[in-house]
Amino acid sequence: NAGVTQTPKFQVLKTGQSMTLQCAQDMNHEYMSWYRQDPGMGLRLIHYSVGAGITDQGEVPNGYNVSRSTTEDFPLRLLSAAPSQTSVYFCASSSPWEPAGYGYTFGSGTRLTVV
Amino acid sequence: TQLLEQSPQFLSIQEGENLTVYCNSSSVFSSLQWYRQEPGEGPVLLVTVVTGGEVKKLKRLTFQFGDARKDSSLHITAAQPGDTGLYLCAFRGGSNYKLTFGKGTLLTVNP
Protein backbone atom coordinates (compact mmCIF):
# COMPACT_ATOMS: atom_id res chain seq x y z
CA ASN A 1 0.00 0.00 0.00
CA ALA A 2 1.15 3.53 -0.77
CA GLY A 3 2.05 5.61 2.22
CA VAL A 4 4.77 6.60 4.66
CA THR A 5 7.07 3.89 5.98
CA GLN A 6 9.06 4.38 9.15
CA THR A 7 11.78 2.10 10.49
CA PRO A 8 12.49 0.86 13.06
CA LYS A 9 9.21 0.64 15.01
CA PHE A 10 11.00 0.35 18.35
CA GLN A 11 14.52 1.27 19.47
CA VAL A 12 16.41 1.44 22.75
CA LEU A 13 19.56 3.56 22.86
CA LYS A 14 22.11 4.32 25.50
CA THR A 15 22.87 7.92 26.35
CA GLY A 16 25.42 9.31 23.92
CA GLN A 17 24.74 6.85 21.11
CA SER A 18 23.73 8.06 17.68
CA MET A 19 21.18 6.61 15.31
CA THR A 20 19.10 7.37 12.23
CA LEU A 21 15.33 7.03 12.02
CA GLN A 22 14.30 6.19 8.50
CA CYS A 23 11.29 7.62 6.65
CA ALA A 24 10.25 6.86 3.07
CA GLN A 25 7.14 7.78 1.08
CA ASP A 26 6.01 6.59 -2.34
CA MET A 27 3.39 9.24 -3.11
CA ASN A 28 5.78 11.71 -4.76
CA HIS A 29 5.03 14.24 -2.02
CA GLU A 30 7.30 17.28 -1.95
CA TYR A 31 6.67 18.14 1.68
CA MET A 32 7.96 15.92 4.49
CA SER A 33 8.27 16.54 8.21
CA TRP A 34 9.26 14.95 11.50
CA TYR A 35 7.28 15.26 14.74
CA ARG A 36 7.80 14.00 18.23
CA GLN A 37 4.87 13.15 20.47
CA ASP A 38 5.16 13.30 24.24
CA PRO A 39 2.46 12.95 26.92
CA GLY A 40 0.88 16.31 27.67
CA MET A 41 2.90 18.05 24.96
CA GLY A 42 1.11 16.97 21.82
CA LEU A 43 2.84 16.67 18.45
CA ARG A 44 5.76 19.05 18.03
CA LEU A 45 7.54 19.73 14.76
CA ILE A 46 11.25 18.90 14.72
CA HIS A 47 12.36 19.53 11.12
CA TYR A 48 10.65 19.80 7.78
CA SER A 49 11.50 19.84 4.09
CA VAL A 50 9.64 21.40 1.15
CA GLY A 51 11.63 19.47 -1.44
CA ALA A 52 14.85 17.62 -2.18
CA GLY A 53 17.83 19.60 -0.94
CA ILE A 54 15.72 21.97 1.18
CA THR A 55 15.27 21.56 4.93
CA ASP A 56 14.35 23.88 7.78
CA GLN A 57 13.95 23.79 11.55
CA GLY A 58 10.68 23.34 13.35
CA GLU A 59 9.75 24.00 16.96
CA VAL A 60 12.18 21.58 18.67
CA PRO A 61 15.22 21.00 16.38
CA ASN A 62 18.05 20.79 18.92
CA GLY A 63 19.84 17.44 18.99
CA TYR A 64 18.49 16.36 15.59
CA ASN A 65 19.78 16.55 12.03
CA VAL A 66 18.01 15.95 8.73
CA SER A 67 18.86 15.82 5.06
CA ARG A 68 16.75 15.38 1.93
CA SER A 69 18.75 13.99 -0.96
CA THR A 70 15.72 12.44 -2.72
CA THR A 71 11.99 13.17 -2.85
CA GLU A 72 11.22 9.79 -1.29
CA ASP A 73 13.49 9.74 1.78
CA PHE A 74 13.80 11.99 4.82
CA PRO A 75 15.97 10.45 7.55
CA LEU A 76 16.19 11.91 11.05
CA ARG A 77 19.54 11.63 12.83
CA LEU A 78 20.05 11.76 16.57
CA LEU A 79 23.58 12.99 17.06
CA SER A 80 24.13 12.05 20.73
CA ALA A 81 21.04 10.56 22.32
CA ALA A 82 19.79 11.97 25.62
CA PRO A 83 17.01 10.68 27.92
CA SER A 84 15.00 13.81 27.01
CA GLN A 85 14.75 12.42 23.47
CA THR A 86 12.73 9.46 24.68
CA SER A 87 9.55 9.88 22.66
CA VAL A 88 7.43 8.60 19.79
CA TYR A 89 8.58 9.99 16.47
CA PHE A 90 6.30 10.44 13.46
CA CYS A 91 7.17 11.22 9.89
CA ALA A 92 4.54 12.84 7.68
CA SER A 93 4.27 13.88 4.04
CA SER A 94 2.00 16.06 1.95
CA SER A 95 1.71 17.67 -1.43
CA PRO A 96 2.00 21.47 -1.32
CA TRP A 97 0.34 21.73 -4.69
CA GLU A 98 -3.00 20.49 -3.44
CA PRO A 99 -5.62 22.81 -1.94
CA ALA A 100 -5.61 23.65 1.76
CA GLY A 101 -7.93 20.74 2.51
CA TYR A 102 -5.32 18.20 1.49
CA GLY A 103 -4.26 16.21 4.49
CA TYR A 104 -0.97 14.92 5.72
CA THR A 105 -0.14 11.23 5.59
CA PHE A 106 1.63 9.95 8.70
CA GLY A 107 3.77 6.91 9.29
CA SER A 108 3.00 4.55 12.15
CA GLY A 109 5.80 5.92 14.29
CA THR A 110 9.07 4.93 15.94
CA ARG A 111 9.03 4.48 19.70
CA LEU A 112 12.46 5.49 21.01
CA THR A 113 13.72 4.97 24.55
CA VAL A 114 17.04 6.46 25.67
CA VAL A 115 18.46 4.97 28.86
CA THR B 1 1.71 30.19 23.70
CA GLN B 2 -0.53 27.39 22.51
CA LEU B 3 -2.20 28.52 19.31
CA LEU B 4 -4.84 25.80 19.46
CA GLU B 5 -6.51 24.95 22.76
CA GLN B 6 -8.44 21.69 22.81
CA SER B 7 -10.97 20.73 25.47
CA PRO B 8 -11.60 18.59 27.29
CA GLN B 9 -8.19 16.98 27.53
CA PHE B 10 -9.72 13.62 28.53
CA LEU B 11 -13.23 12.25 28.04
CA SER B 12 -14.55 8.84 29.08
CA ILE B 13 -18.12 7.93 28.15
CA GLN B 14 -20.39 4.95 27.70
CA GLU B 15 -21.33 3.50 24.34
CA GLY B 16 -24.37 5.26 22.88
CA GLU B 17 -23.73 8.65 24.49
CA ASN B 18 -23.23 11.87 22.55
CA LEU B 19 -20.23 14.14 23.01
CA THR B 20 -18.65 17.35 21.78
CA VAL B 21 -14.99 18.33 21.81
CA TYR B 22 -13.66 21.78 21.10
CA CYS B 23 -10.74 23.46 19.40
CA ASN B 24 -10.31 27.15 20.22
CA SER B 25 -7.89 29.92 19.37
CA SER B 26 -7.54 33.68 19.45
CA SER B 27 -6.17 33.54 15.90
CA VAL B 28 -8.12 33.46 12.68
CA PHE B 29 -7.43 30.51 10.39
CA SER B 30 -8.04 30.02 6.71
CA SER B 31 -8.85 26.38 7.48
CA LEU B 32 -8.67 23.81 10.26
CA GLN B 33 -8.12 20.10 10.05
CA TRP B 34 -9.26 17.31 12.38
CA TYR B 35 -7.28 14.10 12.78
CA ARG B 36 -7.90 10.94 14.76
CA GLN B 37 -5.04 8.92 16.18
CA GLU B 38 -5.55 5.36 17.35
CA PRO B 39 -3.14 3.71 19.81
CA GLY B 40 0.15 2.74 18.16
CA GLU B 41 -0.64 4.55 14.92
CA GLY B 42 -0.09 7.91 13.34
CA PRO B 43 -2.84 10.55 13.00
CA VAL B 44 -5.31 10.14 10.14
CA LEU B 45 -7.12 13.09 8.57
CA LEU B 46 -10.88 13.14 9.18
CA VAL B 47 -11.92 16.46 7.65
CA THR B 48 -10.88 19.98 6.72
CA VAL B 49 -13.19 22.94 7.39
CA VAL B 50 -12.60 26.05 5.35
CA THR B 51 -15.59 28.42 5.41
CA GLY B 52 -16.79 30.25 8.54
CA GLY B 53 -19.96 28.59 9.81
CA GLU B 54 -19.33 25.49 7.73
CA VAL B 55 -20.74 22.17 8.93
CA LYS B 56 -19.42 18.87 7.62
CA LYS B 57 -20.72 15.41 8.46
CA LEU B 58 -18.82 12.15 8.36
CA LYS B 59 -21.28 9.40 9.36
CA ARG B 60 -21.89 10.01 13.10
CA LEU B 61 -19.28 12.78 13.30
CA THR B 62 -20.29 16.43 12.76
CA PHE B 63 -17.63 19.10 12.40
CA GLN B 64 -18.32 22.82 12.62
CA PHE B 65 -16.10 25.82 11.90
CA GLY B 66 -16.93 28.95 13.87
CA ASP B 67 -18.30 31.98 12.07
CA ALA B 68 -15.17 33.97 12.89
CA ARG B 69 -12.91 31.04 11.87
CA LYS B 70 -11.24 31.03 15.29
CA ASP B 71 -12.73 27.82 16.65
CA SER B 72 -14.12 24.45 15.67
CA SER B 73 -16.07 21.65 17.29
CA LEU B 74 -16.51 17.94 16.73
CA HIS B 75 -19.76 16.29 17.80
CA ILE B 76 -20.12 12.51 17.89
CA THR B 77 -23.58 10.99 18.01
CA ALA B 78 -24.14 7.60 19.65
CA ALA B 79 -20.47 6.96 20.32
CA GLN B 80 -19.09 3.48 19.76
CA PRO B 81 -15.96 1.78 21.16
CA GLY B 82 -14.40 2.13 17.71
CA ASP B 83 -14.47 5.91 18.17
CA THR B 84 -11.87 5.60 20.93
CA GLY B 85 -8.75 7.58 20.13
CA LEU B 86 -6.96 10.91 20.31
CA TYR B 87 -8.74 13.67 18.40
CA LEU B 88 -6.45 16.41 17.18
CA CYS B 89 -7.17 19.70 15.51
CA ALA B 90 -4.48 21.35 13.41
CA PHE B 91 -3.88 24.23 11.04
CA ARG B 92 -1.56 24.34 8.08
CA GLY B 93 0.71 27.32 7.53
CA GLY B 94 0.28 29.23 4.32
CA SER B 95 3.71 29.75 2.85
CA ASN B 96 5.61 26.91 4.48
CA TYR B 97 2.89 24.29 4.80
CA LYS B 98 3.86 23.51 8.40
CA LEU B 99 1.15 21.65 10.29
CA THR B 100 0.64 22.81 13.89
CA PHE B 101 -1.43 20.70 16.28
CA GLY B 102 -3.42 21.24 19.42
CA LYS B 103 -2.67 18.86 22.28
CA GLY B 104 -5.74 16.78 21.56
CA THR B 105 -8.71 15.22 23.33
CA LEU B 106 -8.27 11.60 24.41
CA LEU B 107 -11.65 9.91 24.04
CA THR B 108 -12.47 6.53 25.57
CA VAL B 109 -15.80 4.92 24.73
CA ASN B 110 -16.61 2.07 27.07
CA PRO B 111 -18.81 -0.82 25.90
Side-chain angles (χ1 to χ4, degrees):
Chain A
N1 291 335
V4 177
T5 302
Q6 291 185 236
T7 55
K9 292 191 72 66
F10 301 93
Q11 183 70 49
V12 179
L13 286 180
K14 293 183 178 179
T15 298
Q17 286 184 320
S18 63
M19 79 159 294
T20 299
L21 279 63
Q22 301 292 343
C23 176
Q25 53 93 6
D26 58 2
M27 297 169 286
N28 202 33
H29 283 167
E30 290 291 327
Y31 187 88
M32 296 185 75
S33 54
W34 277 101
Y35 291 85
R36 60 177 289 174
Q37 187 172 34
D38 303 290
M41 300 298 292
L43 282 151
R44 293 181 293 170
L45 184 64
I46 305 171
H47 285 286
Y48 66 99
S49 168
V50 298
I54 306 169
T55 63
D56 206 346
Q57 296 180 352
E59 182 184 355
V60 287
N62 292 341
Y64 307 95
N65 251 356
V66 292
S67 60
R68 184 94 179 270
S69 57
T70 67
T71 299
E72 294 78 19
D73 300 299
F74 191 43
L76 178 72
R77 297 181 186 85
L78 278 68
L79 309 173
S80 177
S84 61
Q85 293 179 304
T86 293
S87 186
V88 182
Y89 291 85
F90 289 99
C91 179
S93 73
S94 181
S95 171
W97 314 118
E98 298 289 340
Y102 196 80
Y104 284 69
T105 301
F106 282 80
S108 58
T110 294
R111 184 175 296 275
L112 175 68
T113 302
V114 182
V115 297
Chain B
T1 301
Q2 184 71 20
L3 286 176
L4 292 172
E5 298 282 349
Q6 290 193 246
S7 60
Q9 188 176 358
F10 301 97
L11 186 57
S12 180
I13 62 170
Q14 294 300 120
E15 182 176 1
E17 294 183 359
N18 302 331
L19 66 113
T20 301
V21 299
Y22 301 92
C23 175
N24 296 306
S25 178
S26 57
S27 301
V28 177
F29 299 108
S30 57
S31 65
L32 279 177
Q33 297 184 336
W34 284 92
Y35 289 78
R36 178 169 65 205
Q37 184 179 16
E38 297 183 7
E41 298 295 329
V44 175
L45 179 70
L46 295 174
V47 78
T48 301
V49 286
V50 178
T51 306
E54 180 179 12
V55 176
K56 282 190 174 179
K57 293 192 175 184
L58 186 66
K59 297 183 180 179
R60 293 176 294 97
L61 278 60
T62 301
F63 303 85
Q64 185 162 6
F65 201 14
D67 291 342
R69 292 184 287 123
K70 292 183 178 182
D71 53 82
S72 182
S73 63
L74 160 59
H75 181 80
I76 301 179
T77 303
Q80 299 177 359
D83 296 325
T84 292
L86 179 66
Y87 289 82
L88 297 154
C89 65
F91 73 92
R92 198 178 88 173
S95 61
N96 56 29
Y97 309 103
K98 290 193 295 184
L99 191 64
T100 301
F101 288 90
K103 293 184 179 181
T105 293
L106 184 60
L107 171 66
T108 302
V109 182
N110 303 298

